[in-house]
Amino acid sequence: MTQFADFELSIHRRDTSNVYSLEGRLSLPKDDADQRFGLEKPLTLSYDPLDFENLIEIPEDYGKSLAEKLFGDEGVREMWATVTSAAKAASATLRLRLLIGPSAADLNGVYWEALRDPKDSAAPLFTGENLLFSRYLSASEMRPVNLRPQSALRALIFVANPTDLAEYKLAAVDVAGEIARGREALAKIQTPLEVLPAAAGEHATLNKLMERLRDGFDIVYFAAHGTLANGEPFLWLENDEGKADKISATQLAVRMRELAQQPRLIVLASCQSAGKGNGQTLQAFGPRLAQAGIPAVLAMQGNISMESVKKFMPVFFEELLRDGQIDRALAVARGVIRDAHDFWMPVLFMRLQNGKIWYVPGQSDDGEEFEQWPIIFTALENEKCTPILGQEIYEPMMGSWRQMAAALSAKYDFPLASFYSDLLPRVAQYISSKFDPDTLSNNLEGQIRATLQRNFMADLPDPLKTPRANLLQLFTAAGAKFREREKYEQHKVLASLPIRIYINTNYDDLMFDALKQAKKDPQRIICQWRSEPFETELTYNSEQDYQPSVERPLVYHLFGHLSVPESMVLTEDNYYEFLMGFNANKKRTPAVIPPAVLRALADSTLLMLGFDLDDWAFQALFRMVMVQPGTARRASNIGVQIEPDDLHNLNPQKAHKYLEKYFGDTKTQIYWGKSQDFLRQLAEKRPTV
């Protein structure tokens, strides 16, 4: 499996003249420490956009001139030599991400993709697999990039051909030809493919596009005219009558930003979609879409020929199929057209740390497969398996808690850095402190209620469609419909297994309802973590001889339940109070956590489902688990599911080390994928009894 050395190179203007500073950060595989680089002397780069624009008529001359200006500086040469040597010594492919700061915005107009090798001016620098290149742009709202499994990808081909293009001296778009080329390009991906317009009489309007994208597409292939007018980029789409509707970059970016689930990759096959290299590139569509949150945008920085598109696109998608690495696929595809005059025109704007838009469930980036299945199956057979349900188990049904937290932070003007705006405990802490706990619980419940009603409106009885509908009843109705619709709905899969105890960090009855549907007799209890016990009937203390069994399993609500708002662990303070209450009341009678649950935490196989490593719930849970008597006797059978998340999670190797710090000498193996991937594979692989 290919290993990558990641090098982020940033350029910033020092003053109003052509003096710049370069800063580099190199991350090598199997090395936890990043190496930092900087120039002892600032770089003086004489750059005249008009001179460069004229040179591009002969791309080789342009690339040589650019290399002379960049690598003519001794400090840059030494930095580059050190970085390339380090990558070679680590047997790693070098991934270069170029970040141009706002102060150096004019350098965005440079055709960096035409750069020549400083050691061999006859060779383009970015046409091979050993050096991957992208322009790195941060998004205005740093929403996480939740990757999807390769098998679940969906693609949309969008072709716009207004009937009145001739009036604007633009050639008609060959709709049939563009669709055929799009199909040919995407054929290797082997993903469900849809086309807009889908039928005669349908028009490629912006509203139609957004309507389709709300259904969830991962790859969008655009074929439309793109032009720049007074520095403002436009795509020529259609209106409801089929005539031209010039859509600006600002309009499209705003609409893309509003999508709950954005495409992972947008391919702009239109001309000038990455700008025209005239210093105004950041106003063009590619960068605008990247800054609106799209993880990767492949665009064209000039009038690329149809011949190059025909050769480039199929190779790009075929290579993308191999490993999901966008920048590697681009390097290979650019190599195919390296002899064309426009080989430098495809440009990749990306905000992905690892270059991937999809993953293989159960496989880490280094190719390591999840090997714990036999141990888990044995634990299930012996009724010694305990799942712990995290918040991301909700995502297929109603979106993630991070999205809900982001919406709350926007509503209440969350004052901290945007990186924290989707962390529910931190946002909840702010709302609860500035206002009161009731404001927090009412708004969170209102948001959940609105989401469920929107997603399941057609399936709900009228009383559950109102703004004050009972939330638990709403969960029950929506959950029943979702289990009916999804073969491997997560609660349904878990309910079918021989499990005695389910530890639930969520606040609803979805697990309880799924167990009842599976003809079992589940019991519930809320963790009594406060010093004063909650007044609730959700307890089995009155049934003194009850012991959890497969037929009568226990759903233990570790962090509270919706029916008892004061029991819910939501804010940062709540998590601190939970841990302090747990430690202070271990010997309380009745026990703060029932003995059967403590035994399960100490000596059964734990399946952590739907957690991020930086979740407060994850951290609190681990600290509680590891202080249990008997933990040292735990076998090497802890299966931990971690969701791929390009923004928040560590890479697999670092995540493994991070978990080993908590679990000591136990042999923890991560299942790298979403919880629904894990449970689907568990259901498919589990031997039939």
Side-chain angles (χ1 to χ4, degrees):
M1 181 65 68
T2 303
Q3 298 189 93
F4 295 93
D6 293 309
F7 182 53
E8 184 177 300
L9 179 64
S10 57
I11 305 179
H12 306 275
R13 189 188 297 274
R14 293 286 295 270
D15 51 41
T16 56
S17 64
N18 293 326
V19 178
Y20 301 86
S21 62
L22 270 70
E23 299 173 355
R25 179 172 58 86
L26 177 64
S27 178
L28 295 171
K30 301 181 181 179
D31 188 348
D32 290 338
D34 292 337
Q35 299 181 39
R36 302 277 177 168
F37 298 88
L39 300 182
E40 293 185 6
K41 297 180 180 180
L43 170 68
T44 299
L45 182 62
S46 299
Y47 167 65
D48 186 329
L50 294 179
D51 288 345
F52 270 68
E53 184 72 15
N54 293 333
L55 278 176
I56 198 60
E57 294 299 325
I58 305 177
E60 183 177 355
D61 291 348
Y62 184 100
K64 288 179 180 179
S65 179
L66 180 58
E68 289 171 1
K69 291 181 180 296
L70 183 63
F71 295 111
D73 182 273
E74 183 180 357
V76 175
R77 286 199 310 274
E78 291 179 356
M79 179 192 298
W80 186 246
T82 300
V83 169
T84 53
S85 297
K88 185 176 181 180
S91 300
T93 295
L94 182 60
R95 167 177 283 130
L96 170 61
R97 296 196 302 269
L98 179 63
L99 173 62
I100 295 175
S103 61
D106 56 334
L107 296 185
N108 286 299
V110 175
Y111 300 125
W112 298 99
E113 291 72 16
L115 188 66
R116 312 300 276 193
D117 191 328
K119 294 182 179 180
D120 181 4
S121 61
L125 193 57
F126 304 127
T127 56
E129 291 186 77
N130 294 322
L131 176 56
L132 313 182
F133 177 73
S134 65
R135 304 193 187 197
Y136 186 70
L137 293 170
S138 60
S140 57
E141 43 178 87
M142 288 296 288
R143 69 169 76 181
V145 181
N146 295 316
L147 307 182
R148 297 231 295 166
Q150 179 189 358
S151 59
L153 297 180
R154 300 177 65 201
L156 175 69
I157 296 174
F158 180 85
V159 182
N161 179 37
T163 57
D164 55 347
L165 286 176
E167 297 179 18
Y168 303 95
K169 299 182 180 180
L170 292 173
V173 176
D174 178 8
V175 176
E178 291 291 354
I179 292 175
R181 282 187 285 274
R183 288 188 182 277
E184 180 183 0
L186 291 162
K188 298 293 184 180
I189 292 289
Q190 298 177 340
T191 187
L193 180 62
E194 297 186 28
V195 175
L196 183 65
E202 186 175 29
H203 299 297
T205 69
L206 179 60
N207 286 337
K208 280 285 186 182
L209 173 64
M210 292 300 115
E211 180 182 323
R212 298 301 296 119
L213 291 184
R214 279 193 289 273
D215 290 340
F217 285 89
D218 304 278
I219 301 171
V220 181
Y221 183 97
F222 270 91
H225 276 297
T227 59
L228 282 170
N230 299 320
E232 176 70 15
F234 293 88
L235 280 180
W236 290 68
L237 305 188
E238 302 172 19
N239 61 21
D240 291 335
E241 287 73 42
K243 294 187 177 182
D245 186 12
K246 290 174 62 179
I247 302 299
S248 71
T250 301
Q251 287 176 279
L252 186 59
V254 167
R255 297 293 295 272
M256 287 289 181
R257 188 179 291 115
E258 292 172 348
L259 291 172
Q261 180 179 315
Q262 294 179 323
R264 274 68 173 170
L265 169 64
I266 289 182
V267 177
L268 294 168
S270 59
C271 301
Q272 301 180 21
S273 57
K276 200 179 178 182
N278 57 4
Q280 298 173 327
T281 308
L282 279 182
Q283 294 181 349
F285 278 96
R288 287 284 186 91
L289 293 176
Q291 291 175 333
I294 304 300
V297 181
L298 176 62
M300 304 301 152
Q301 54 185 348
N303 297 312
I304 191 168
S305 67
M306 285 297 101
E307 184 65 23
S308 290
V309 170
K310 288 179 183 179
K311 292 179 179 178
F312 175 89
M313 286 298 179
V315 174
F316 171 74
F317 283 110
E318 182 175 4
E319 290 297 319
L320 186 61
L321 178 64
R322 285 178 54 187
D323 56 10
Q325 300 281 350
I326 297 179
D327 46 4
R328 191 200 63 79
L330 174 62
V332 175
R334 184 180 283 126
V336 171
I337 60 171
R338 62 188 302 147
D339 295 327
H341 74 283
D342 51 6
F343 79 92
W344 50 272
M345 288 189 181
V347 54
L348 175 62
F349 301 97
M350 186 172 73
R351 68 180 187 91
L352 296 166
Q353 295 290 334
N354 64 5
K356 298 190 73 169
I357 63 166
W358 54 259
Y359 66 95
V360 178
Q363 184 182 95
S364 65
D365 283 350
D366 60 4
E368 182 180 357
E369 298 282 350
F370 186 73
E371 299 175 347
Q372 299 288 77
W373 296 117
I375 296 174
I376 293 174
F377 296 147
T378 299
L380 286 169
E381 183 180 347
N382 295 330
E383 300 180 10
K384 296 280 287 183
C385 185
T386 304
I388 305 178
L389 281 61
Q391 292 179 338
E392 292 307 315
I393 208 166
Y394 283 120
E395 185 175 355
M397 178 177 169
M398 52 180 288
S400 71
W401 279 97
R402 288 190 181 277
Q403 292 172 333
M404 294 186 192
L408 287 174
S409 67
K411 180 177 180 179
Y412 285 98
D413 297 322
F414 182 67
L416 300 184
S418 60
F419 184 84
Y420 299 110
S421 64
D422 64 351
L423 298 179
L424 183 60
R426 186 151 293 184
V427 175
Q429 182 69 43
Y430 167 70
I431 297 173
S432 182
S433 300
K434 184 173 181 178
F435 301 96
D436 54 66
D438 286 342
T439 298
L440 170 62
S441 59
N442 289 338
N443 278 273
L444 181 59
E445 289 186 15
Q447 190 171 340
I448 296 172
R449 182 182 293 107
T451 301
L452 288 173
Q453 289 172 336
R454 181 176 64 250
N455 293 350
F456 295 91
M457 181 61 71
D459 306 308
L460 298 174
D462 289 341
L464 294 182
K465 296 179 180 179
T466 65
R468 301 183 66 84
N470 182 282
L471 190 55
L472 282 172
Q473 293 177 9
L474 187 57
F475 261 116
T476 293
K481 188 63 182 180
F482 197 61
R483 290 192 298 275
E484 175 187 331
R485 195 161 66 204
E486 300 292 326
K487 179 179 180 180
Y488 295 114
E489 194 278 329
Q490 296 174 84
H491 300 89
K492 181 165 65 174
V493 172
L494 287 167
S496 70
L497 301 174
I499 291 173
R500 296 184 296 113
I501 296 175
Y502 299 81
I503 298 176
N504 199 350
T505 68
N506 299 322
Y507 317 107
D508 56 76
D509 282 335
L510 291 174
M511 191 68 250
F512 184 83
D513 293 337
L515 287 165
K516 289 200 299 183
Q517 185 176 335
K519 309 301 182 184
K520 297 182 180 181
D521 181 22
Q523 308 297 306
R524 289 173 295 185
I525 188 171
I526 297 176
C527 176
Q528 298 282 350
W529 56 273
R530 292 190 185 274
S531 56
E532 295 295 328
F534 311 121
E535 294 184 6
T536 174
E537 297 180 358
L538 295 186
T539 176
Y540 63 73
N541 290 334
S542 59
E543 190 177 337
Q544 297 295 331
D545 59 348
Y546 169 73
Q547 290 296 324
S549 65
V550 173
E551 294 74 23
R552 299 189 69 204
L554 172 65
V555 180
Y556 186 70
H557 288 275
L558 189 67
F559 293 153
H561 191 270
L562 280 166
S563 65
V564 188
E566 64 270 23
S567 73
M568 296 170 65
V569 180
L570 287 171
T571 68
E572 291 175 330
D573 281 352
N574 289 158
Y575 281 100
Y576 287 125
E577 292 166 5
F578 172 86
L579 288 173
M580 289 187 294
F582 170 76
N583 290 322
N585 299 302
K586 286 181 183 177
K587 298 181 180 180
R588 188 175 71 192
T589 302
V592 61
I593 297 182
V597 176
L598 292 177
R599 286 195 300 271
L601 289 171
D603 62 11
S604 69
T605 295
L606 302 181
L607 302 181
M608 313 283 188
L609 302 173
F611 291 97
D612 286 337
L613 288 182
D614 58 356
D615 278 351
W616 278 73
F618 189 80
Q619 301 287 338
L621 181 63
F622 272 6
R623 283 170 170 79
M624 186 187 73
V625 168
M626 294 316 297
V627 300
Q628 298 308 314
T631 299
R633 301 191 304 272
R634 188 192 302 279
S636 58
N637 55 359
I638 303 170
V640 182
Q641 174 269 320
I642 300 296
E643 179 176 346
D645 179 335
D646 195 74
L647 178 62
H648 296 90
N649 278 335
L650 306 169
N651 63 43
Q653 295 87 354
K654 292 182 180 179
H656 201 152
K657 293 179 181 178
Y658 184 80
L659 291 171
E660 285 177 343
K661 182 179 73 173
Y662 283 96
F663 285 107
D665 295 330
T666 59
K667 297 179 181 178
T668 304
Q669 186 170 1
I670 298 172
Y671 178 94
W672 209 253
K674 296 177 181 286
S675 55
Q676 59 262 40
D677 301 327
F678 177 87
L679 289 170
R680 176 182 55 78
Q681 288 195 344
L682 187 151
E684 292 175 342
K685 292 176 178 290
R686 183 182 171 220
T688 56
V689 180

